Amino acid sequence: LLLGITIFLQVRETPNVPADTVLPLYILIGALFLLSIIYSVYLVLVPDLWLLSIFQVMVDLVYATVLIHFTGGASSVFTLLYIFPIITSGILHLRRVALITASAASILFGLLINAGFYGIVPLADWPWVIPWSRDASFYLVWVFIVHVTCFYLVAVLSSSFSEQLHRTKATLSLKERDFENLSDLHTSIVRSIPSGIMTADVNDEITFVN
């Protein structure tokens, strides 16, 4: 959806936009749908969903990096897409994997910035790309620090919420087990009483007879 809106806005603003500019976005859209189909097929074939989910998260990081490169590099509006794989890691795999994902996102983003700044990878022919100069190095460092800080904060927060949810579920499971044990004990005690016991509800309907 975001890629489609981006292509629509660019073509509307620049009607004679070169095909080479939007072609990578079309390829990325196709790759995204293809990956979704592959994941759906492998979901029922792969026994270890834990590894599959980690693989998906890492592929998403690479995908976001490629998308950011073709839409402006450090000046791309899609840099926040790194946050979604980090949140996914925090929810599914808790803090350790979330921090690893944040580290991987930081490394990929840092490599992307340096590759564009030093001309190792040519900047995409995107109309909204800011041509960085040698004087902008401190600004790029600032952009990198801001993003890395956000990555790790998102990792810590998402994993903290997920861990709290897991603890709450574990506590509820223990409470339910204790309640079931107490109910079984109560039933066993009542059934073992030699006197006849009968209970009824407010409508005088019998609910239990020992």
Side-chain angles (χ1 to χ4, degrees):
L1 177 63
L2 291 175
L3 287 176
I5 293 174
T6 303
I7 295 174
F8 171 76
L9 292 177
Q10 185 193 8
V11 173
R12 183 176 179 178
E13 181 179 347
T14 310
N16 298 323
V17 60
D20 296 340
T21 303
V22 295
L23 180 60
L25 297 186
Y26 287 118
I27 295 176
L28 287 173
I29 292 176
L32 185 61
F33 280 99
L34 180 62
L35 284 173
S36 299
I37 296 174
I38 293 175
Y39 291 153
S40 300
V41 173
Y42 272 88
L43 190 63
V44 295
L45 300 178
V46 177
D48 194 347
L49 297 180
W50 190 84
L51 289 177
L52 177 61
S53 61
I54 292 181
F55 174 77
Q56 287 180 331
V57 166
M58 296 305 165
V59 170
D60 288 344
L61 290 178
V62 176
Y63 184 93
T65 304
V66 176
L67 175 60
I68 291 168
H69 166 68
F70 284 108
T71 55
S75 62
S76 173
V77 296
F78 288 104
T79 54
L80 292 180
L81 287 183
Y82 280 124
I83 291 178
F84 295 104
I86 298 174
I87 293 177
T88 303
S89 296
I91 294 175
L92 296 180
H93 306 293
L94 305 182
R95 181 162 300 182
R96 178 180 298 179
V97 179
L99 292 175
I100 293 175
T101 306
S103 300
S106 302
I107 293 173
L108 289 174
F109 188 60
L111 291 175
L112 179 64
I113 290 178
N114 280 278
F117 180 73
Y118 291 107
I120 300 175
V121 176
L123 295 176
D125 189 19
W126 187 251
W128 302 323
V129 172
I130 299 177
W132 305 109
S133 63
R134 296 289 179 178
D135 299 331
S137 58
F138 288 105
Y139 177 74
L140 288 179
V141 171
W142 176 72
V143 170
F144 176 74
I145 292 175
V146 169
H147 281 78
V148 170
T149 303
C150 290
F151 295 161
Y152 281 101
L153 284 176
V154 169
V156 172
L157 290 175
S158 61
S159 60
S160 296
F161 288 131
S162 183
E163 290 171 357
Q164 181 65 34
L165 181 60
H166 278 273
R167 285 194 294 267
T168 302
K169 286 184 177 180
T171 303
L172 288 176
S173 297
L174 291 176
K175 295 294 184 182
E176 289 179 359
R177 192 176 300 114
D178 291 340
F179 179 78
E180 291 175 357
N181 293 335
L182 182 61
S183 177
D184 293 339
L185 177 61
H186 173 266
T187 303
S188 177
I189 292 175
V190 172
R191 287 185 183 278
S192 64
I193 295 177
S195 303
I197 296 179
M198 181 172 62
T199 60
D201 57 16
V202 294
N203 297 320
D204 294 332
E205 294 181 355
I206 298 174
T207 60
F208 176 80
V209 177
N210 73 330

